[in-house]
Amino acid sequence: MDRYVHHELRAVYTAFATLAVCVPVTSGVRGAPMSAYGVGRFVLAMIAFTVVVTLLGATRLKWVGEIRDFEAAVPLERAPADGASLRRRPLNWWLFPVMLVPTLALAIAYAPWIALLPLWAALVWLGQAWLAAEWERRNGKVLWRGHDTDAPWKLSYSPGVLRGEAPAGTTPA
């Protein structure tokens, strides 16, 4: 099983790694993806889009709200061992080529600005990670993915350890 926040952050790191490859390669082959003024506007538009998507995700709206998914998570008796720790495995190695190949091909063959699109994905995933972390903090639970092998996207939760509290089954010092 994989902690939900770590899953989202792993996708963010992978998107930034894709961006780190695509921009220099595209710049070397086709020239700079945008002017300095254009990059600033592009990044500002991506941040505005991310804020809107994150705010919509913080609602309970049927198709866009993430909170309903968090609240529908099934309880676990205890927290599983985090087998895919973010520190030990910071990148999602199957997502990297899935993002890299089409982004690089389209940026070189069609339009150089496409090399900047992994930034959009990274910001959206960062917003989802923030939503999940905030929900975990408010509810004292930790969200997990992968408890159901037939539906690995379904969420579960375990009791979380809040700051200043001793884990269950231990005595505070």
Side-chain angles (χ1 to χ4, degrees), residues 14-36:
T14 304
F16 281 137
T18 303
L19 189 68
V21 172
C22 287
V23 170
V25 170
T26 302
S27 296
V29 174
R30 294 277 313 258
M34 291 183 182
S35 66

Side-chain angles (χ1 to χ4, degrees), residues 17-75:
T18 303
L19 189 68
V21 172
C22 287
V23 170
V25 170
T26 302
S27 296
V29 174
R30 294 277 313 258
M34 291 183 182
S35 66
Y37 178 70
V39 169
R41 288 188 340 186
F42 182 81
V43 169
L44 199 58
M46 288 296 105
I47 290 171
F49 177 78
T50 302
V51 167
V52 169
V53 168
T54 303
L55 289 175
L56 284 173
T59 67
R60 288 179 174 80
L61 295 175
K62 189 170 186 176
W63 290 293
V64 294
E66 296 280 333
I67 301 300
R68 290 175 72 167
D69 293 337
F70 299 160
E71 291 171 346
V74 297

Side-chain angles (χ1 to χ4, degrees), residues 35-134:
S35 66
Y37 178 70
V39 169
R41 288 188 340 186
F42 182 81
V43 169
L44 199 58
M46 288 296 105
I47 290 171
F49 177 78
T50 302
V51 167
V52 169
V53 168
T54 303
L55 289 175
L56 284 173
T59 67
R60 288 179 174 80
L61 295 175
K62 189 170 186 176
W63 290 293
V64 294
E66 296 280 333
I67 301 300
R68 290 175 72 167
D69 293 337
F70 299 160
E71 291 171 346
V74 297
L76 298 173
E77 290 184 24
R78 60 187 174 96
D82 190 9
S85 171
L86 189 60
R87 188 176 303 148
R88 285 194 315 246
R89 209 181 76 180
L91 292 179
N92 186 334
W93 289 106
W94 70 265
L95 181 61
F96 184 67
V98 167
M99 286 183 73
L100 179 68
V101 171
T103 303
L104 198 53
L106 288 171
I108 291 172
Y110 180 63
W113 66 266
I114 293 174
L116 299 172
L117 286 181
L119 178 62
W120 168 73
L123 292 174
V124 170
W125 285 322
L126 189 60
Q128 289 176 333
W130 175 79
L131 278 177
E134 184 65 20

